[in-house]
Amino acid sequence: MVKTHPRGPIASGRARKKRPLAPASAAALSRRQLERKLAVSVGASARAARLRAGLTQADVADRVGIASEVYGRLERGKMMPSVPTLFRLCLALQLSADASLGLALAAAAGAGLWEEDSTDKDDLPEMRRLLRSLRRLPRPQLKLMSLVASAILPTRR
């Protein structure tokens, strides 16, 4: 039996061929890794705060105004809350947003959030600003900057 479809006939009972997915860029992969780490950080801090407060997941979900299943996924790091939900979560658990997002830990370490894990440093705003500035330099100053950079960078072996 053949079914009609806006794009043409489709044979029933036969599996469609799946198109191969386009390879993800390094920037997209590092962004996904960052989002996963961020979700895990938020979930772990929410869990720790909930346990300190002696609350159940259902208690926190009721206070935040979300389903307990959704809160469970959030706490396991399987999803990120929206900004309003994160706000309500921080209020319900008396949790600092800086701590839940991992900003307090990164600031204490003196580093940017997750920057050490980034495989694609070209996407960092600092790198883009530096490259724009270097492109505007005349050739003699660019050579000088190259010498300065090679003098301050550690040698690779």
Side-chain angles (χ1 to χ4, degrees):
M1 174 180 189
V2 176
K3 296 180 183 178
T4 59
H5 189 271
R7 293 187 207 147
I10 299 173
S12 65
R14 291 177 43 191
R16 290 183 183 179
K17 291 183 181 179
K18 292 186 178 179
R19 294 181 192 167
L21 297 174
S25 68
L29 284 176
S30 66
R31 195 172 308 117
R32 277 189 232 128
Q33 290 169 343
L34 169 70
E35 289 170 2
R36 275 191 224 116
K37 285 186 177 190
L38 192 55
V40 168
S41 173
V42 169
S45 62
R47 182 178 189 337
R50 176 182 62 82
L51 293 175
R52 274 194 310 272
L55 299 170
T56 65
Q57 286 186 347
D59 292 337
V60 176
D62 285 341
R63 291 180 183 191
V64 174
I66 58 176
S68 57
E69 294 82 11
V70 172
Y71 179 75
R73 284 196 306 266
L74 186 148
E75 202 173 86
R76 288 190 305 275
K78 300 296 181 189
M79 65 173 289
M80 272 295 295
S82 65
V83 173
T85 303
L86 179 63
F87 178 77
R88 291 190 312 268
L89 179 68
C90 290
L91 289 176
L93 293 173
Q94 297 177 353
L95 179 65
S96 162
D98 289 352
S100 67
L101 292 172
L103 294 171
L105 181 62
L113 179 63
W114 318 114
E115 279 184 16
E116 301 307 317
D117 296 335
S118 175
T119 55
D120 192 9
K121 302 279 188 197
D122 291 343
D123 283 339
L124 296 175
E126 296 87 356
M127 182 63 78
R128 291 192 304 264
R129 278 194 298 271
L130 177 62
L131 290 173
R132 276 195 307 271
S133 298
L134 289 173
R135 284 187 191 109
R136 286 187 234 130
L137 291 177
R139 191 173 187 108
Q141 289 178 340
L142 187 60
K143 284 184 180 180
L144 180 61
M145 288 303 295
S146 175
L147 289 172
V148 170
S150 61
I152 62 173
L153 291 176
T155 57
R156 293 184 183 175
R157 294 173 194 238

